[in-house]
Amino acid sequence: MDAEMQAEAGHQHGYIGSKDAYLKRLRRIEGQARGLQRMVEEEKYCIDILTQVSAMTKALQSVALGLLDEHLSHCVVDAAREGGREADEKVKEASDAIARLVRS
Amino acid sequence: MDAEMQAEAGHQHGYIGSKDAYLKRLRRIEGQARGLQRMVEEEKYCIDILTQVSAMTKALQSVALGLLDEHLSHCVVDAAREGGREADEKVKEASDAIARLVRS
Amino acid sequence: MDAEMQAEAGHQHGYIGSKDAYLKRLRRIEGQARGLQRMVEEEKYCIDILTQVSAMTKALQSVALGLLDEHLSHCVVDAAREGGREADEKVKEASDAIARLVRS
Amino acid sequence: MDAEMQAEAGHQHGYIGSKDAYLKRLRRIEGQARGLQRMVEEEKYCIDILTQVSAMTKALQSVALGLLDEHLSHCVVDAAREGGREADEKVKEASDAIARLVRS
């Protein structure tokens, strides 16, 4: 990726600065998914499995809230500064994503 | 309220244009809260009460998502345009509110 | 209501013992709905309104979880003891109510 | 595992009949976690990542609701039939798990 594309990508994707941190969190979530399979495989007690599912859901939500915060800070704020219809579209898109998170 | 104050208020509170619509929705939610009391008073079946609680929760969430969308469109976008630390603070505040909604 | 009907109702509706406590909590929730209308009426800051909406949603969820617990303790357990298809139906009904709560 | 232990396990863990189905769903969820890492790695658009997180959260919730339904149908109903304090404990445990799901 050349410098210009990188600048462009940096502009659009506010989470890139913390890319490694997000990858680490997602790998841990992948590990939780494997842990759940092991629990089902070994016929662990249902309530203990549910406790792990709740922990994994919380970890996922926390990743989503982090990404959303960076998206608002960078992408939405930048679009607002540039003005025009772009800002409205970015807000609409963010609001729709928030609604999906709240309802999931 | 003089014109300047109105402009100021309009600037801060994006939902004001739809104030009547929000009041109407909140009055309906208040009515749902009274309906639930009546159901408990009349010892209605528990599952039917829970169905009403879910409907009321959805109505509340929908009000919250509407307010949040207007807040992003007006308050956050305006702060971004003005620039400076104000934009960061507004985004932080909005992200915290979103986290409370997602976790409630 | 004669004694037999009362016994019947008591059998079906486990929350009746705490009826007054539920009514009190629902009246407080109704008060929160009125408080929200006042905030919109007085054009309070959007984020402060959202904080109140989150508190109200949590209060509602807590009522729902309480009712559900009493429903499982009484209605579902009693149906299980009587045996037959009634137990299956009660569990199905409770699971559907739980799904609505989790998804709302 | 001898027949008696199997009966015991079958008694406690209602989801065993659909073990393969749950394993399949959890493997798909693990795949979603890997897909998210790929999206972050390739610096995909934030909103598209959030859409995938919402889909994954829904899939997890659906697994949880399925496990809970089987737990109520088997474990809680069986405990209720045996009577005594066991039933109360099982209901308390299930209610706590439901609260964690609703709040996560």
Side-chain angles (χ1 to χ4, degrees):
Chain A
M1 201 187 274
D2 66 25
E4 199 181 310
M5 279 179 68
Q6 211 147 21
E8 171 63 23
H11 169 71
Q12 286 200 344
H13 308 307
Y15 64 86
I16 283 179
S18 7
K19 195 168 150 176
D20 286 345
Y22 279 110
L23 285 173
K24 203 173 154 186
R25 289 163 79 179
L26 288 169
R27 270 195 297 270
R28 207 178 311 137
I29 287 168
E30 185 196 337
Q32 288 177 296
R34 265 197 304 272
L36 283 170
Q37 288 166 62
R38 211 158 34 236
M39 290 180 91
V40 168
E41 195 67 77
E42 296 171 1
E43 302 179 7
K44 295 291 187 207
Y45 186 45
C46 198
I47 295 291
D48 295 332
I49 301 181
L50 289 174
T51 302
Q52 287 311 103
V53 172
S54 292
M56 190 174 158
T57 306
K58 270 185 198 297
L60 258 180
Q61 269 182 355
S62 170
V63 163
L65 291 170
L67 287 170
L68 192 64
D69 176 66
E70 304 208 45
H71 182 69
L72 293 175
S73 303
H74 296 92
C75 189
V76 175
V77 163
D78 289 351
R81 279 175 189 159
E82 282 165 27
R85 279 174 51 183
E86 180 75 359
D88 294 345
E89 280 162 27
K90 287 295 175 201
V91 166
K92 170 88 179 66
E93 199 181 54
S95 290
D96 289 348
I98 294 164
R100 282 191 296 271
L101 286 179
V102 168
R103 288 176 177 142
S104 72
Chain B
M1 201 188 273
D2 66 26
E4 199 180 311
M5 281 178 67
Q6 211 147 23
E8 172 63 23
H11 168 70
Q12 285 199 346
H13 308 306
Y15 63 86
I16 285 180
S18 10
K19 196 168 149 175
D20 285 345
Y22 279 109
L23 285 174
K24 202 173 154 185
R25 288 162 79 179
L26 288 169
R27 269 195 297 271
R28 208 180 307 137
I29 287 169
E30 185 196 337
Q32 286 176 297
R34 264 198 305 273
L36 283 170
Q37 289 167 62
R38 211 160 34 236
M39 290 180 91
V40 169
E41 194 67 78
E42 295 171 2
E43 302 178 5
K44 295 290 185 208
Y45 186 46
C46 198
I47 295 292
D48 295 332
I49 300 182
L50 288 174
T51 302
Q52 287 311 104
V53 171
S54 292
M56 190 174 157
T57 306
K58 269 184 198 298
L60 258 178
Q61 269 183 354
S62 170
V63 164
L65 292 169
L67 288 170
L68 191 65
D69 176 66
E70 304 208 43
H71 181 70
L72 294 176
S73 303
H74 296 93
C75 189
V76 175
V77 162
D78 289 351
R81 279 174 188 158
E82 281 165 26
R85 280 173 52 183
E86 180 75 359
D88 294 344
E89 281 163 27
K90 288 295 174 201
V91 165
K92 171 87 179 66
E93 199 182 54
S95 290
D96 290 348
I98 294 164
R100 282 193 295 272
L101 286 180
V102 167
R103 289 175 177 143
S104 71
Chain C
M1 200 188 273
D2 66 25
E4 200 181 307
M5 280 180 67
Q6 213 149 20
E8 173 61 24
H11 168 70
Q12 286 200 343
H13 309 306
Y15 64 86
I16 284 180
S18 8
K19 195 169 151 175
D20 286 345
Y22 279 110
L23 285 173
K24 202 172 152 184
R25 289 163 78 179
L26 289 169
R27 269 194 299 268
R28 208 179 309 137
I29 288 168
E30 186 195 336
Q32 287 176 297
R34 264 196 307 271
L36 284 170
Q37 289 166 62
R38 210 160 33 237
M39 290 180 91
V40 169
E41 195 67 76
E42 296 171 1
E43 302 178 6
K44 295 291 185 207
Y45 186 46
C46 199
I47 295 290
D48 295 332
I49 301 182
L50 288 174
T51 302
Q52 287 310 104
V53 171
S54 291
M56 190 173 156
T57 306
K58 270 186 198 296
L60 257 180
Q61 268 183 354
S62 170
V63 163
L65 291 170
L67 287 170
L68 191 64
D69 177 65
E70 304 209 44
H71 181 69
L72 293 176
S73 303
H74 296 93
C75 189
V76 175
V77 162
D78 289 351
R81 279 175 188 157
E82 280 166 26
R85 282 174 48 184
E86 181 74 0
D88 295 343
E89 281 163 27
K90 288 294 175 200
V91 166
K92 172 86 179 67
E93 200 181 52
S95 290
D96 290 348
I98 294 164
R100 282 191 297 269
L101 286 179
V102 167
R103 289 175 178 144
S104 74
Chain D
M1 201 188 271
D2 65 26
E4 200 181 308
M5 280 181 66
Q6 211 149 21
E8 173 61 24
H11 168 70
Q12 285 199 345
H13 309 305
Y15 64 86
I16 285 180
S18 8
K19 195 168 150 174
D20 286 344
Y22 280 109
L23 285 173
K24 202 172 153 186
R25 289 163 78 178
L26 289 169
R27 269 195 298 270
R28 209 179 308 138
I29 287 168
E30 185 196 336
Q32 287 175 297
R34 264 197 306 273
L36 283 169
Q37 289 167 61
R38 209 159 35 235
M39 290 180 90
V40 169
E41 195 67 77
E42 295 171 2
E43 302 178 7
K44 294 291 185 207
Y45 186 45
C46 199
I47 295 291
D48 295 332
I49 301 182
L50 288 173
T51 302
Q52 286 311 104
V53 172
S54 292
M56 190 174 157
T57 306
K58 270 185 199 296
L60 258 179
Q61 269 182 354
S62 170
V63 163
L65 291 169
L67 287 171
L68 191 65
D69 176 66
E70 304 209 43
H71 182 69
L72 293 176
S73 302
H74 296 92
C75 190
V76 175
V77 162
D78 289 351
R81 279 175 188 157
E82 281 165 26
R85 282 174 48 184
E86 180 75 359
D88 295 344
E89 281 163 26
K90 287 295 172 201
V91 166
K92 171 88 178 64
E93 200 182 53
S95 290
D96 289 348
I98 294 164
R100 282 191 297 270
L101 286 179
V102 168
R103 288 174 178 143
S104 72

